[in-house]
Amino acid sequence: MLATSEIAKLKREIAILREIVGQSRPGTRNPMSPTERRSLKSEIERCILELDELRGKLSQ
């Protein structure tokens, strides 16, 4: 099923983002700037909203 493989890819991408955020905290070798952190947070929130919308469509 196509949706299953897409979910697997999404989970892999989330794991990569988790690693990047963990390595980019203040005090680490390559910290994100406050602007980069805000931008990433905003994009994550946008993705959450879209996923929530999809979840709602599946509940109908």
Side-chain angles (χ1 to χ4, degrees), residues 34-53:
T35 302
E36 290 172 317
R37 294 179 70 79
R38 281 191 302 273
S39 176
L40 182 56
K41 183 179 177 183
S42 176
E43 287 298 315
I44 289 171
E45 288 172 353
R46 186 185 59 77
C47 289
I48 289 168
L49 289 173
E50 289 186 37
L51 287 170
D52 190 47
E53 182 179 312

Side-chain angles (χ1 to χ4, degrees), residues 6-30:
E6 292 301 317
I7 289 293
K9 284 197 273 187
L10 182 58
K11 288 179 179 181
R12 286 191 298 273
E13 294 298 325
I14 289 169
I16 292 168
L17 277 172
R18 183 178 290 126
E19 187 176 320
I20 290 168
V21 168
Q23 293 175 358
S24 303
R25 290 186 176 170
T28 61
R29 180 191 271 181
N30 297 313

